[in-house]
Amino acid sequence: MKELKKHKAYQMLEKNYKECLLDYVILLSDRTYLGQDTHKEAVIEAFHILNQRKRVANHLGFHCTIEEEKMSAIKCDISEFLKLPTDSYYDTKLGNYRSYWSAFLEPPYDVSYVTDDFKKLNYVLFPFLDSLEIYQWNDDFSNYFDDGKEWWGTGCWSAYDKITNIFVVIGASLSD
C-alpha cells in the first residue's frame, strides 16, 4: 500500500481544518481485496505512517506501538458511519461523543467546525458511498489509544472504496 500524500483531502485538512486532531491516512491499495484482512493491513500500515509524522493526535513525536494479535473489528454501516446529529444546534455547533462526526466536530479543544465542514471533507474522502466497506476497530491494540481511554474517548475506522482501491484510515484519541 502506498500513501497518497497529494490527495485533495490532505490539502483540505491542511488548509481548512488545521485544528482537526483526528489522524487521517489515505492509502492506495495494490493488493487483492480480502475484506477485513485487507482492512487490518491498511490499519497497520497507517499506524506505521503515523510514526513518521511530526504530530500524532495531540502529541509531537509520538511513537505508536501495535499488537496485531489484539486487533478486532466490526463491520460498520455507511449510514451509521456518516450519520450526523439531528438537533439543529449542531448546524452551528457540535454534539455528543465517539461517533465519527463527534470526533471531528467536538474534540476536547474547541473548534469552529460545523456539520457542513464534516460533509465537505467526507465528500472528498468518500466520493463513491455505495462502494464503501467500513470497519470500526477496537482500541486495545495500540498505545495510540491510551490518552483517549483516560478521558475524551477513542475511535478507529478503516474505509475501503472498491472503485478507487483507496483506504482511508481515521484515528481518534485525545487527552486534555
Side-chain angles (χ1 to χ4, degrees):
M1 293 191 196
K2 178 183 175 186
E3 184 178 17
L4 297 175
K5 294 180 181 182
K6 295 187 180 198
H7 193 281
K8 185 177 179 182
Y10 281 144
Q11 296 168 6
M12 286 180 74
L13 286 162
E14 178 62 31
K15 182 179 178 187
N16 302 327
Y17 306 111
K18 287 185 179 185
E19 297 172 332
C20 180
L21 293 177
L22 297 182
D23 292 300
Y24 290 86
V25 178
I26 305 166
L27 301 165
L28 179 62
S29 180
D30 56 358
R31 294 172 171 84
T32 301
Y33 183 67
L34 301 172
Q36 187 173 342
D37 289 340
T38 316
H39 277 260
K40 183 176 180 177
E41 290 176 33
V43 172
I44 292 166
E45 180 64 22
F47 275 68
H48 289 304
I49 289 169
L50 290 179
N51 284 335
Q52 299 166 20
R53 292 188 178 170
K54 184 176 181 179
R55 181 195 60 81
V56 177
N58 57 345
H59 292 285
L60 296 176
F62 185 77
H63 181 79
C64 304
T65 59
I66 301 168
E67 295 179 70
E68 294 179 34
E69 68 281 359
K70 292 184 177 181
M71 293 178 79
S72 65
I74 56 170
K75 206 168 196 176
C76 190
D77 182 76
I78 183 68
S79 61
E80 280 299 310
F81 176 67
L82 293 176
K83 184 178 182 178
L84 288 167
T86 55
D87 191 318
S88 63
Y89 165 76
Y90 301 114
D91 291 337
T92 56
K93 201 68 182 145
L94 319 181
N96 285 332
Y97 278 97
R98 296 333 61 133
S99 60
Y100 172 41
W101 72 262
S102 70
F104 181 85
L105 293 172
E106 197 169 85
Y109 308 103
D110 196 30
V111 295
S112 60
Y113 309 143
V114 295
T115 53
D116 278 349
D117 294 306
F118 182 76
K119 290 177 189 177
K120 287 176 192 174
L121 178 60
N122 288 306
Y123 180 78
V124 173
L125 286 168
F126 311 117
F128 303 105
L129 295 180
D130 291 338
S131 70
L132 286 181
E133 186 168 89
I134 302 166
Y135 283 87
Q136 181 175 1
W137 294 86
N138 66 325
D139 63 4
D140 296 324
F141 68 88
S142 176
N143 64 337
Y144 172 87
F145 302 107
D146 291 350
D147 281 351
K149 286 180 182 180
E150 289 180 15
W151 180 55
W152 178 76
T154 64
C156 183
W157 303 270
S158 58
Y160 177 68
D161 187 319
K162 295 174 185 177
I163 292 175
T164 62
N165 291 326
I166 291 176
F167 276 98
V168 176
V169 177
I170 305 165
S173 180
L174 301 170
S175 181
D176 60 347

